[in-house]
Amino acid sequence: MTEFAKTPLEIALAVVYAILLVQQKSNRSLLTAAAFVAISLTIRLSIDVSAVRDFRPYFDSFQQVKYGLPAPELAGEPYRYLLFRAALLFGDLPDRLQIDGIYYFHFFVVTGFFLWLAYLRDVGFEVKLILFLAFYPVFAYVWIRAGMAYVVAGVLFYTINAGKWRILHFTLPMFHSSSLAFLLMMKLKQAHLQWKLAILLAVAVVLYVAVESDYVRYLIYKLERYDETSDARSSNALFVFHFINIATFLYLSAINARFRNNFAILGMMGAYMLMFYFNPVVGLRVFPFVLIACVAERMQFTQYKLVSLLLIGGYVPVYLARFNQILS
């Protein structure tokens, strides 16, 4: 893996975001937000899009759409197909500029999400900062597919959960198929027992019918690829990340009854633990949904500030290590 040289900008980005979380009720927060965007954009401009991890599969999928070739990995993710089609409206541009535009569009959407998150007053400081430290670098700069699903999940479930238009929740799997599990967990916690059984039965039938589809074959291929690369990607950093995740979960469970009694959070944590056992890389892709569920459920953690700060400190090396995962 190419090493991404550490710069003061990465530290400054995290410090400015932490200040923004503290200043959210202050008039000075607008200047802090502008500084956050400027620093983040400077980092984005310093990284060539073609050098980003997983660029080649994204670019190959884009070309498949452009030339009308089969792209089974897009069958369950209409959002990415529509995004590619939108980029192709600028047909006079070279392929590289079109795909660069997609990456920058994604960057601004994710950055906008974290700004929106910073100004939420009913979500705990700890949840916001942990989500930023653990995932902003890969959400904003790398994960074109999964990153958008996490962002959309956070916005949809936070803004729609207690209001109307709940049907929009079901658009979530359009962005990434893995978000289906999160959707089910969030919905099952609200359903009566008979509806829970009916939903589980319907899912079982759909899975049975879909098992021979091209998209399922693609998912199986992806899991096999993750398994083949698990040894190379299961570094000590991943297990440190896993340890601090478990410590955070246990701490929040101990101090907050709403957290430990929340079906969606417990379900996603169980899925995280199970997937991590089989493949650490896949498992850690589930953990953002645990934090997104905390955002959606408006979790506040106000006790034992010193312990909270120690746990947040544990995510600082994770944040720095994330920048090593940006490049191929």
Side-chain angles (χ1 to χ4, degrees):
M1 179 178 67
T2 305
E3 190 73 15
F4 183 76
K6 296 294 185 296
T7 72
L9 284 178
E10 299 165 14
I11 302 295
L13 184 66
V15 170
V16 168
Y17 191 74
I19 293 172
L20 179 61
L21 297 182
V22 175
Q23 283 185 338
Q24 59 174 316
K25 299 178 183 179
S26 167
N27 292 331
R28 291 175 295 177
S29 67
L30 293 178
L31 292 176
T32 308
F36 170 73
V37 174
I39 295 171
S40 187
L41 181 58
T42 301
I43 294 173
R44 170 69 277 179
L45 291 170
S46 71
I47 305 169
D48 189 276
V49 167
S50 64
V52 171
R53 180 187 293 276
D54 294 336
F55 168 80
R56 177 50 57 183
Y58 293 146
F59 187 66
D60 290 345
S61 295
F62 175 72
Q63 290 195 308
Q64 287 173 322
V65 172
K66 180 174 183 177
Y67 297 109
L69 301 173
E73 69 273 18
L74 299 180
E77 298 167 12
Y79 158 75
R80 195 152 54 106
Y81 175 79
L82 293 174
L83 187 62
F84 289 165
R85 297 304 304 180
L88 289 171
L89 293 176
F90 301 91
D92 295 335
L93 296 176
D95 289 0
R96 270 299 312 277
L97 285 180
Q98 290 172 327
I99 199 74
D100 283 5
I102 290 172
Y103 269 85
Y104 275 89
F105 168 78
H106 176 82
F107 163 77
F108 283 115
V109 171
V110 171
T111 301
F113 166 78
F114 277 91
L115 287 174
W116 169 80
L117 182 65
Y119 283 93
L120 296 181
R121 297 187 179 185
D122 53 0
V123 177
F125 170 88
E126 296 88 345
V127 173
K128 297 176 186 179
L129 191 53
I130 288 173
L131 184 59
F132 173 82
L133 291 174
F135 294 106
Y136 179 79
V138 285
F139 277 15
Y141 305 124
V142 183
W143 292 351
I144 297 296
R145 297 168 63 230
M148 188 61 71
Y150 298 130
V151 165
V152 172
V155 173
L156 280 181
F157 277 93
Y158 178 87
T159 58
I160 303 174
N161 244 3
K164 299 179 181 179
W165 309 108
R166 294 184 181 182
I167 191 68
L168 290 178
H169 288 153
F170 294 98
T171 64
L172 185 56
M174 291 176 57
F175 295 87
H176 195 281
S177 54
S178 66
S179 62
L180 180 60
F182 176 75
L183 174 63
L184 290 176
M185 290 295 179
M186 294 298 290
K187 285 298 182 182
L188 282 175
K189 75 181 182 68
Q190 304 168 351
H192 296 297
L193 178 59
Q194 62 269 29
W195 281 107
K196 290 179 180 180
L197 295 175
I199 291 172
L200 292 175
L201 179 61
V203 170
V205 171
V206 170
L207 291 176
Y208 178 78
V209 172
V211 72
E212 293 300 323
S213 69
D214 289 340
Y215 184 64
V216 170
R217 291 193 187 98
Y218 167 75
L219 292 180
I220 293 172
Y221 159 75
K222 288 287 289 183
L223 290 174
E224 289 175 346
R225 182 168 170 264
Y226 276 129
D227 188 57
E228 291 171 359
T229 59
S230 61
D231 290 339
R233 300 174 71 181
S234 299
S235 63
N236 290 334
L238 287 181
F239 287 98
V240 170
F241 191 14
H242 179 57
F243 173 80
I244 196 68
N245 289 343
I246 297 300
T248 300
F249 174 75
L250 293 175
Y251 166 65
L252 297 179
S253 297
I255 69 169
N256 192 295
R258 282 188 62 229
F259 182 91
R260 63 177 174 266
N261 294 328
N262 189 286
F263 177 84
I265 292 174
L266 292 178
M268 292 310 303
M269 196 65 191
Y272 162 64
M273 295 289 292
L274 180 64
M275 295 303 293
F276 190 92
Y277 174 79
F278 287 106
N279 187 294
V281 176
V282 177
L284 289 170
R285 293 293 187 98
V286 177
F287 191 71
F289 283 123
V290 178
L291 299 175
I292 292 294
C294 290
V295 172
E297 297 296 319
R298 295 162 167 78
M299 290 293 174
Q300 294 278 357
F301 310 110
T302 57
Q303 301 182 55
Y304 310 112
K305 287 295 185 182
L306 179 59
V307 179
S308 296
L309 289 174
L310 288 174
L311 287 174
I312 289 171
Y315 284 96
V316 171
V318 172
Y319 168 77
L320 296 176
R322 283 300 198 186
F323 281 95
N324 284 336
Q325 298 176 351
I326 291 177
L327 301 186
S328 301

